[in-house]
């Protein structure tokens, strides 16, 4: 028996040290919910903190009503529903926030692509332009694509911002914004490569190198945001949203 006790005690001590015997139900709930959600770090942190405060207030209410602290925490968690039940509504709100983040990224970086087009076209003069005609034509087409995408991004910001208080957000809009951002990121990447190659063939290469740097920075800003938006939109909008609007951020 003593040998068995010597073998069991270290295990027991390790278990208690690693996993407290009585874990806080509120913090367990918050940890589980946090793991289920994806979205902009600030918006997600703010949402999680609001839910934690709500749970804490509910626990306090039950405690004032005479419940023991541990039982009050259990009651509060049950009232909120399971993390799996709460997560879809939270994820839809975070997805709208991420969609707006992506739309802003596209809208703010689009002028860089316009600058790329201007710098590229300004280095070509007549038939014997310093920049190959193919590169100039491609850069012009990409700038036109980015211009159209910038208009769509501005429209998306309006729909998910001021208009969201009066009209419901279209069900598939976040996913559409995600793919708009993806298209913009691809165009920016192609523009970067095109301008890099053109700068090697041009005499006035510093302007093209600067334009390529603009395109590269734009791609670095837009592409990760669009990828995050796709990740958020797919699970959040796999099923129709429940009644009630989502507040734009």
């Amino acid at each position: 028996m003593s040998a068995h006790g010597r073998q069991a005690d270290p295990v027991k001590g390790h278990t208690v040290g690693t996993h407290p015997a009585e874990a806080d139900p509120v913090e367990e709930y918050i940890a589980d919910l946090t793991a289920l959600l994806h979205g902009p770090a600030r918006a997600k942190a703010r949402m999680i903190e609001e839910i934690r405060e709500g749970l804490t207030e509910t626990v306090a209410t039950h405690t004032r009503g005479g419940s023991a602290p541990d039982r009050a925490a259990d009651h509060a968690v049950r009232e909120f529903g399971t993390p799996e039940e709460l997560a879809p509504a939270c994820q839809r709100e975070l997805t709208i926030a991420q969609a707006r983040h992506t739309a802003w990224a596209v809208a703010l970086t689009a002028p860089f692509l316009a600058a790329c087009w201007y710098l590229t076209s300004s280095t070509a003069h007549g038939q014997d332009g310093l920049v190959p005609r193919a590169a100039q034509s491609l850069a012009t087409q990409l700038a036109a694509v980015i211009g159209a995408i910038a208009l769509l991004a501005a429209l998306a910001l309006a729909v998910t911002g001021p208009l969201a208080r009066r009209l419901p957000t279209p069900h598939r809009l976040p996913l559409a914004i995600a793919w708009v951002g993806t298209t913009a990121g691809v165009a920016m990447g192609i523009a970067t490569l095109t301008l890099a190659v053109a700068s090697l063939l041009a005499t006035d290469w510093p302007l093209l190198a600067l334009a390529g740097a603009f395109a590269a920075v734009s791609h670095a800003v837009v592409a990760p945001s669009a990828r995050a938006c796709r990740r958020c939109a797919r699970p959040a909008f796999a099923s129709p949203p429940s009644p009630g609007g989502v507040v734009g951020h």
Side-chain angles (χ1 to χ4, degrees), residues 30-48 51 83 86-102 174 224-237 246 249:
I30 291 298
D32 292 342
L33 182 61
T34 300
L36 293 172
L37 300 178
H38 306 285
R42 281 186 171 182
K44 180 178 175 179
R46 184 168 57 249
M47 175 182 289
I48 291 297
I51 293 172
L86 186 60
C90 294
Q91 185 59 64
R92 280 190 289 271
E93 187 170 345
L94 287 176
T95 299
I96 295 296
Q98 182 62 59
R100 286 182 58 78
H101 184 279
T102 300
S225 183
R227 184 165 56 249
C229 194
R230 293 199 308 273
R231 184 184 183 191
C232 289
R234 283 169 178 163
F237 289 82
V246 178
H249 293 278

Side-chain angles (χ1 to χ4, degrees), residues 54-67:
L55 280 167
T56 302
E57 291 174 3
T58 305
V59 171
T61 299
H62 285 297
T63 302
R64 288 193 297 268
S67 297

Side-chain angles (χ1 to χ4, degrees), residues 134-234:
Q136 183 187 7
S137 176
L138 180 57
T140 301
Q141 292 173 7
L142 290 174
V145 170
I146 295 298
I149 288 175
L151 291 177
L152 292 175
L155 179 60
L157 287 171
V159 170
T160 58
L163 292 180
R165 298 182 179 90
R166 299 180 177 86
L167 301 172
T169 300
H171 180 55
R172 294 292 177 182
L173 180 62
L175 190 57
I177 294 174
W179 285 109
V180 164
T182 300
T183 303
V186 170
M188 291 168 179
I190 294 173
T192 301
L193 293 175
T194 301
L195 291 167
V197 171
S199 66
L200 298 176
L201 304 174
T203 303
D204 197 7
W205 64 266
L207 283 177
L208 289 176
L210 180 60
F214 284 164
V217 169
S218 299
H219 174 77
V221 171
V222 171
S225 183
R227 184 165 56 249
C229 194
R230 293 199 308 273
R231 184 184 183 191
C232 289
R234 283 169 178 163

Side-chain angles (χ1 to χ4, degrees), residues 41-137:
R42 281 186 171 182
K44 180 178 175 179
R46 184 168 57 249
M47 175 182 289
I48 291 297
E49 186 58 31
E50 289 174 357
I51 293 172
R52 178 185 279 110
E53 290 177 359
L55 280 167
T56 302
E57 291 174 3
T58 305
V59 171
T61 299
H62 285 297
T63 302
R64 288 193 297 268
S67 297
D70 56 344
R71 183 164 296 182
D74 289 335
H75 286 324
V77 166
R78 283 198 297 271
E79 288 179 14
F80 269 65
T82 66
E84 291 76 13
E85 292 170 342
L86 186 60
C90 294
Q91 185 59 64
R92 280 190 289 271
E93 187 170 345
L94 287 176
T95 299
I96 295 296
Q98 182 62 59
R100 286 182 58 78
H101 184 279
T102 300
W104 272 115
V106 173
L108 293 177
T109 56
F112 285 109
L113 267 294
C116 291
W117 171 83
Y118 176 76
L119 290 174
T120 301
S121 62
S122 67
T123 58
H125 305 284
Q127 297 291 330
D128 299 323
L130 298 177
V131 179
R133 289 260 175 217
Q136 183 187 7
S137 176

